[in-house]
Amino acid sequence: MKCAFCGLDYEQEQATVACQGCGLFGGCHLVKCPRCGYEQPKEPPLLQWWRQWRARRLDASTSSKG
Ligand SMILES: [Zn+2]
């Protein structure tokens, strides 16, 4: 997902590791940017799927150009 503050593109897994302070109930509903520490709501699964799909498409189109 993308940090709304600094624009860093990071995985939600990285953010969970960064958020150790509030892991009482398996983590809060926010994810924390590993670079700037900005907290924002998690992306919905559908949006994550769409971003991955889009990234793969972009990847395929750039590699075919050679
Ligand atoms: Zn950030």
Side-chain angles (χ1 to χ4, degrees), residues 26-61:
C28 62
H29 62 286
L30 295 174
V31 291
K32 197 171 184 177
C33 174
R35 185 159 77 183
C36 72
Y38 178 79
E39 288 179 344
Q40 57 185 356
K42 283 181 184 172
E43 285 183 331
L46 186 67
L47 186 57
Q48 286 179 48
W49 173 87
W50 179 80
R51 280 168 57 86
Q52 281 171 10
W53 174 83
R54 191 162 155 262
R56 276 222 291 270
R57 266 178 68 95
L58 287 171
D59 206 35
S61 64

